[in-house]
Amino acid sequence: MRLPYKLRFVASQLVTVTVLLTLLLFIPQIWLNWQVYDNFNSIIKHEFKLQVMSDKITYLDEVLTMSARMNAATGNSTWEKRYRQFEPKLDLAIKESIKLAPKAYKNEDAHKIDIANQLLVAMEYQSFDLVNKNQKETAQLLLSSREYETQKHIYADGVAKRNRNISLQLQQKFDEYFRRIFWAVLESVISLALLIPAWFLVLNLLQQYLKDKKIAQAALEETNCMLEMQVAERTAKLEHKNLQLEQTLQELQYTQVQLVQTEKMSSLGQLVAGVAHEINNPVNFIYGNLMHIRGYSQQLITLINLYQQENFNYNPEITNLIHKIDLEFIIDDMPKILSSMEVGTERICEIVLTLRNFSRLDEAEMKPVDIHEGIDSTLLILQHRFKEKSKQQPEIAVIKDYGNLPLIECYAGGLNQVFMNIFSNAIDALYEQEGKSLTGEKYIYSITIKTKVENEEYVIISIKDNGAGIKEEVKTRLFDPFFTTKPVGKGTGLGLSISYQIIVDKHKGKIKCISAPGKGTEFVIEIPIKQAR
């Protein structure tokens, strides 16, 4: 049955009025939502710029402090040049931050920060002058003085407080944004409540009107069905492509951060190699001359003994001098001093050799390597972290249980990087747990290292600490990229992920974590002695 013409005309007018009413109600809502979104987007960009500037200021400030202290410690003018190079960058970063948050830089705290910064800069300039005057010890005392540390503390606390104030202001803007969202949603609900009755009437009229078109729709349904199938197929393809793109993006992000981490380790290897080379030359010079000094001193002692036997009784002046300088003690003590110097230079030579072994981080070829040398060189690099610093950070005992291992065909630098990551995590885990005591005695922190050969084909390396252990839900994600339990700024979540890739992908080995709360953590590494060609 076909609808009368007048009924169709009324339905058309009602639809037009309803559509116009819908547009009049929703266009302002869309505009309001767009403004809210634009404001929110601006807040996000502003917050990102402030965060970038804050991190940059902190980084540059640490670079200046480190350059000044390294200049005082080494007397190398290169550090002063580095200081002068980064100082304008810090000033520029502070100016950019002032533009982004001018109120945070115009209060009493900002004045205190500026005063502390000026005093720090003055003391650092003074240290440069002292170093230029060959007064390194005085410069070191100046940069480690209570006044310097106090001003450094005032400056750091002030910057942290300023960042918290900026974050609070941004949070207030976010709260304002959410209030506007609430009112926008409320207005949308009211508009919807007004439009629902009108649309119900329109739908009722359209339902009667559409009954007359069932025959035409039947013919179109098949076509629509085919079109829907095509759309569904293309939608599935698009979703698959989107998933592939998302996975590729994640892989690119992971690869990018991994390259940065690899570059850091390569730079560390180059630095260690350079330091070892610079130390090795003067040590070889000293060690090579000690042998000649021992021979010369022995010859002089022999000559003095002969002279004593023949002539010293005939010269009272020489006799008095012999008693005054205690010649017998000198003759007895000089060989001991030379022996002590030889032991010291031999120890320095061993340390230099160990540093050279660790510096093979950038070697690209696989070659037979002594695994124990890599472990020892990594422990030497981290030696300062094992020493006692305070009651909260006591000394960490390193227990070695090395087996009789053959040379392992591997990437030496890559394995050193794995050892570095595992040792660093173990040290952090030990220092993060609260102090313990057993039977009233002080709890001893320890890291145990065991190596052995398995089935004459594999080498097993176990690194175990007696820390607080790891929860099961954390252990299952331990090797995931970007997963970390450390606070922001102290961990990237890539150390164990990169270690997993080095062991499993590059060396065709295995790495697993054995841990439970209160029972410490053990990493077990299994790599083949020889790689399959």
Side-chain angles (χ1 to χ4, degrees):
M1 180 180 68
R2 299 182 61 88
L3 291 175
Y5 177 78
K6 288 185 179 181
L7 185 57
R8 283 184 290 166
F9 180 77
V10 171
S12 175
Q13 285 182 332
L14 184 58
V15 169
T16 303
V17 171
T18 305
V19 170
L20 290 175
L21 181 60
T22 302
L23 294 175
L24 289 174
L25 290 175
F26 275 92
I27 286 178
Q29 296 299 320
I30 295 172
W31 173 251
L32 179 60
N33 291 332
W34 170 253
Q35 284 185 325
V36 172
Y37 168 78
D38 186 63
N39 292 335
F40 177 74
N41 193 32
S42 299
I43 293 173
I44 291 297
K45 291 180 179 178
H46 189 266
E47 182 184 15
F48 176 77
K49 290 180 180 179
L50 279 174
Q51 186 64 37
V52 170
M53 286 295 105
S54 176
D55 293 342
K56 187 174 182 181
I57 289 172
T58 302
Y59 166 75
L60 293 174
D61 179 65
E62 291 300 324
V63 168
L64 294 183
T65 302
M66 183 270 292
S67 299
R69 287 181 168 171
M70 288 300 295
N71 180 70
T74 63
N76 191 341
S77 61
T78 303
W79 293 105
E80 183 177 357
K81 294 179 181 178
R82 179 179 176 86
Y83 184 98
R84 305 294 184 184
Q85 177 185 358
F86 280 89
E87 190 176 15
K89 296 182 180 179
L90 178 59
D91 294 336
L92 182 60
I94 292 174
K95 291 179 180 178
E96 290 294 330
S97 296
I98 292 173
K99 292 181 180 178
L100 293 172
K103 293 182 180 179
Y105 289 83
K106 292 181 179 180
N107 51 32
E108 184 178 351
D109 291 334
H111 181 64
K112 292 180 180 179
I113 295 172
D114 291 339
I115 292 176
N117 185 38
Q118 291 172 7
L119 292 175
L120 289 173
V121 172
M123 285 188 280
E124 289 164 354
Y125 278 11
Q126 185 179 355
S127 72
F128 291 145
D129 294 335
L130 291 172
V131 171
N132 293 332
K133 295 176 181 178
N134 294 325
Q135 298 181 18
K136 291 195 301 181
E137 292 79 6
T138 306
Q140 293 175 14
L141 289 175
L142 176 63
L143 295 183
S144 61
S145 65
R146 180 180 297 274
E147 175 62 20
Y148 184 86
E149 294 297 333
T150 299
Q151 297 302 326
K152 190 72 178 175
H153 183 71
I154 292 173
Y155 179 79
D157 288 348
V159 171
K161 183 177 180 181
R162 176 191 295 161
N163 292 338
R164 288 195 297 271
N165 291 336
I166 293 174
S167 299
L168 182 60
Q169 293 176 3
L170 291 174
Q171 184 61 43
Q172 292 174 352
K173 292 183 179 180
F174 277 116
D175 294 340
E176 178 63 24
Y177 162 76
F178 285 118
R179 283 195 295 270
R180 296 183 63 182
I181 284 291
F182 170 78
W183 287 112
V185 171
L186 182 60
E187 291 175 5
S188 299
V189 170
I190 294 174
S191 300
L192 185 62
L194 294 175
L195 290 172
I196 287 176
W199 277 108
F200 268 119
L201 180 59
V202 169
L203 290 175
N204 186 34
L205 294 174
L206 289 177
Q207 184 178 9
Q208 297 179 12
Y209 179 74
L210 291 175
K211 287 180 180 179
D212 195 40
K213 293 189 174 181
K214 284 185 178 180
I215 297 175
Q217 287 179 349
L220 292 175
E221 283 180 357
E222 184 178 357
T223 304
N224 290 336
C225 183
M226 294 179 60
L227 289 175
E228 288 177 358
M229 292 177 60
Q230 293 178 358
V231 170
E233 183 179 357
R234 292 182 181 180
T235 302
K237 290 181 179 179
L238 286 174
E239 290 178 352
H240 180 67
K241 292 292 183 182
N242 289 335
L243 181 60
Q244 288 181 334
L245 288 174
E246 186 176 349
Q247 293 175 348
T248 303
L249 179 60
Q250 292 178 351
E251 291 175 359
L252 287 174
Q253 290 175 342
Y254 174 69
T255 304
Q256 181 182 13
V257 180
Q258 184 180 2
L259 288 174
V260 173
Q261 185 74 6
T262 303
E263 183 64 24
K264 288 181 180 178
M265 294 302 295
S266 177
S267 300
L268 176 60
Q270 295 174 6
L271 175 62
V272 170
V275 171
H277 177 73
E278 293 300 325
I279 295 175
N280 193 48
N281 289 335
V283 169
N284 286 337
F285 175 77
I286 296 171
Y287 186 72
N289 286 323
L290 279 176
M291 178 178 63
H292 300 295
I293 292 176
R294 180 183 287 277
Y296 296 156
S297 64
Q298 189 62 43
Q299 293 173 0
L300 290 173
I301 291 172
T302 303
L303 178 61
I304 291 171
N305 290 332
L306 289 175
Y307 181 78
Q308 284 181 310
Q309 296 172 8
E310 298 295 333
N311 296 321
F312 83 96
N313 291 325
Y314 297 99
N315 193 325
E317 184 178 352
I318 294 177
T319 302
N320 293 333
L321 181 60
I322 288 174
H323 289 295
K324 183 178 181 180
I325 67 174
D326 198 354
L327 182 60
E328 292 183 1
F329 175 76
I330 293 176
I331 292 174
D332 180 64
D333 194 50
M334 184 176 292
K336 297 179 181 178
I337 293 175
L338 291 174
S339 298
S340 178
M341 293 172 66
E342 285 182 355
V343 171
T345 52
E346 287 175 357
R347 176 56 181 156
I348 294 175
C349 290
E350 292 176 0
I351 293 174
V352 170
L353 182 61
T354 306
L355 291 174
R356 284 183 170 178
N357 179 60
F358 181 81
S359 65
R360 297 184 298 180
L361 289 172
D362 56 349
E363 290 184 359
E365 296 181 357
M366 186 174 286
K367 59 179 64 175
V369 171
D370 186 350
I371 293 294
H372 294 155
E373 287 184 1
I375 296 174
D376 291 337
S377 64
T378 307
L379 291 173
L380 179 64
I381 296 298
L382 295 171
Q383 188 174 15
H384 68 286
R385 297 195 63 191
F386 291 106
K387 296 180 179 179
E388 181 177 2
K389 297 180 178 64
S390 64
K391 292 183 179 180
Q392 288 73 26
Q393 293 187 351
E395 181 179 0
I396 298 176
V398 177
I399 303 170
K400 299 179 183 178
D401 185 8
Y402 290 168
N404 187 17
L405 302 185
L407 295 180
I408 309 302
E409 197 174 62
C410 62
Y411 296 102
L415 286 184
N416 287 348
Q417 186 175 355
V418 174
F419 298 147
M420 175 73 77
N421 290 332
I422 295 177
F423 285 141
S424 297
N425 285 341
I427 294 170
D428 292 339
L430 289 173
Y431 284 157
E432 285 173 2
Q433 66 179 348
E434 297 181 357
K436 297 180 178 179
S437 62
L438 294 177
T439 65
E441 298 181 357
K442 184 177 180 181
Y443 187 78
I444 299 176
Y445 292 168
S446 66
I447 296 177
T448 304
I449 308 165
K450 294 183 180 180
T451 60
K452 65 177 181 179
V453 176
E454 184 81 10
N455 298 329
E456 299 182 354
E457 295 182 358
Y458 293 91
V459 168
I460 306 297
I461 305 164
S462 168
I463 301 173
K464 182 177 181 180
D465 64 67
N466 61 345
I470 303 174
K471 297 179 181 179
E472 186 64 29
E473 58 267 22
V474 174
K475 191 169 64 173
T476 56
R477 300 187 58 194
L478 210 55
F479 298 106
D480 292 350
F482 305 107
F483 175 75
T484 179
T485 58
K486 297 178 181 179
V488 177
K490 291 188 177 181
T492 62
L494 285 173
L496 291 179
S497 175
I498 293 174
S499 300
Y500 182 88
Q501 185 184 37
I502 292 173
I503 296 299
V504 177
D505 296 341
K506 290 189 176 181
H507 292 87
K508 310 303 178 186
K510 300 177 182 178
I511 180 172
K512 62 180 179 179
C513 175
I514 303 172
S515 181
K519 296 185 178 181
T521 302
E522 180 182 9
F523 284 91
V524 180
I525 300 171
E526 178 182 334
I527 56 174
I529 297 175
K530 292 185 178 180
Q531 296 290 328
R533 301 298 181 185

